[in-house]
Amino acid sequence: MKLLLTSAGVNNKSIRDALVDMLDKPIADSNALCIPTAMYGHPWVGPGVNTWEFISGKSENPMVDLGWKSVGVLELTALPSISKDRWVPLVQEIDVLLVAGGDALFLNHWMRQSGLADLLPSLQAVYVGMSAGSMVMAPNIGEYFVGWIPPGGGDATLGLVDFAIFPHLDHEKLPENTMAAAERWAAGIQGPTYAIDDQTAIKVIDGTVEVVSEGHWRHFTL
């Protein structure tokens, strides 16, 4: 699976060009599924109007509104209650998954409960994450980002990449997300980390990591 891990969606030409390159065909010829699940776990973004805006392509963060051939909705909280033969073939045939931000631990929980987490490594689709949708790929997110508490506690996530992500670096509406805060967060993570702003994404193909940015970012190593 190819990963495009963004802070705030596909919001500049460099990130969009990276996405098209990963798809290996035009966006207009690609079918997408959007996953809003993370939004429900975060008090700022769901449920309600923000979730609808993401699904309908009317949010400030370009994801669903890029001009896809088709867009469907995959709500992970619903999947455990229906047969896998109703949704697994759909996911296996899709070109791209568009995964909203929100709460990374809530998203991790429902990715595992639904069975999507087990399916992800075998997919040919491009996975495009935004904020929590990107953070969930890490081995853990760090205490700084713990909001929703999973049944077993902790901050562990999927571990499909070996690094963690601090999104929304120096965001005007998140004054606490400074580089100094990112440095303190990184010091508590057992592994490599990236702090990225909303003009930056991390591209991962076959384990090779590349930063795509029109903004600023920093890579922390142990």
Side-chain angles (χ1 to χ4, degrees):
M1 193 173 193
K2 302 174 183 178
L3 309 177
L4 186 62
L5 306 177
T6 80
S7 177
V10 185
N11 56 2
N12 63 47
K13 184 178 184 300
S14 295
I15 299 175
R16 186 185 179 104
D17 288 349
L19 172 58
V20 173
D21 181 62
M22 296 168 82
L23 288 167
D24 202 27
K25 61 181 175 179
I27 288 175
D29 294 336
S30 303
N31 298 304
L33 283 175
C34 72
I35 300 177
T37 305
M39 303 183 78
Y40 300 116
H42 197 292
W44 296 358
V45 292
V49 65
N50 290 324
T51 310
W52 173 81
E53 287 177 346
F54 171 74
I55 293 171
S56 62
K58 299 182 183 298
S59 76
E60 296 178 354
N61 307 107
M63 291 275 275
V64 172
D65 55 339
L66 296 176
W68 305 103
K69 182 178 180 181
S70 70
V71 181
V73 179
L74 189 70
E75 176 43 60
L76 304 186
T77 60
L79 298 186
S81 61
I82 62 177
S83 172
K84 286 191 173 184
D85 62 14
R86 295 276 305 279
W87 65 270
V88 168
L90 175 66
V91 175
Q92 289 174 328
E93 295 170 3
I94 209 70
D95 296 306
V96 63
L97 295 174
L98 307 172
V99 186
D103 191 286
L105 293 179
F106 185 81
L107 177 60
N108 174 71
H109 175 78
W110 284 106
M111 279 189 166
R112 293 184 183 279
Q113 290 292 110
S114 66
L116 181 63
D118 294 331
L119 193 61
L120 285 176
S122 67
L123 296 181
Q124 298 300 309
V126 177
Y127 177 106
V128 183
M130 175 170 60
S131 191
S134 299
M135 296 166 68
V136 74
M137 289 289 149
N140 62 304
I141 61 170
E143 191 66 28
Y144 185 89
F145 291 109
V146 173
W148 183 83
I149 306 296
D155 70 333
T157 38
L158 296 179
L160 294 182
V161 298
D162 66 356
F163 57 85
I165 296 174
F166 184 109
H168 310 304
L169 179 65
D170 292 331
H171 194 288
E172 60 183 10
K173 294 182 180 179
L174 298 168
E176 67 277 12
N177 278 18
T178 62
M179 185 63 79
E183 289 176 353
R184 292 191 294 271
W185 163 82
I189 301 290
Q190 298 300 312
T193 55
Y194 291 85
I196 62 174
D197 73 353
D198 284 5
Q199 297 298 319
T200 301
I202 301 173
K203 176 181 174 182
V204 185
I205 301 177
D206 294 331
T208 300
V209 178
E210 176 186 345
V211 177
V212 179
S213 181
E214 294 184 13
H216 62 285
W217 57 278
R218 184 171 170 187
H219 180 206
F220 300 95
T221 57
L222 292 177

